[in-house]
Amino acid sequence: MAVLQPYDKLPALSSAVLLLVGSDGGLQQRLAEALLREKKNFKINIHLATSLPLPPERDHLRPRIDLVAFMIDIKSKYSLKNVEASLAYVDDSFFLGKVCFLVTGALRNWRDQTVLLSVGTVVLCP
């Protein structure tokens, strides 16, 4: 159970590797497809994971991860718990510009402020 390190591998030229972590595979897939459709001057590789840690047996084949995007579905408590548990497997130095949190479903449940506060607590935990 290895912790993700931001600088443990050399970067590839003119490319970026994005890791989407979340329990909603359909939403991850749609976001990945939208990102790949955008016009850009570099190559982007997107990897999907439901949770961390990533399997260690393929670590030698895995490219350097440039950005980790945690996807939290506000209407699912499991989604928040999943992200919270996954944060333990991310090195602290990743949180200096290499991690983002995407909260989905907020328009449908915008009145539930306790869920939003718990998301804020999880985000501030490292």
Side-chain angles (χ1 to χ4, degrees), residues 10-72:
L10 293 173
L13 293 175
S14 299
S15 70
V17 177
L18 171 63
L19 176 63
L20 298 178
V21 180
S23 56
D24 187 349
L27 189 59
Q28 285 178 316
Q29 188 67 36
R30 288 195 328 245
L31 178 59
E33 289 169 358
L35 288 170
L36 292 172
R37 280 193 305 266
E38 288 294 315
K39 185 177 179 180
K40 52 202 159 295
N41 296 333
F42 57 92
K43 180 182 176 190
I44 187 166
N45 293 313
I46 301 174
H47 298 264
L48 309 178
T50 54
S51 63
L52 295 179
L54 297 174
E57 59 271 2
R58 297 191 41 92
D59 189 51
H60 65 286
L61 299 173
R62 190 174 301 120
R64 179 175 117 162
I65 297 171
D66 298 305
L67 178 70
V68 180
F70 290 100
M71 300 179 71
I72 302 167

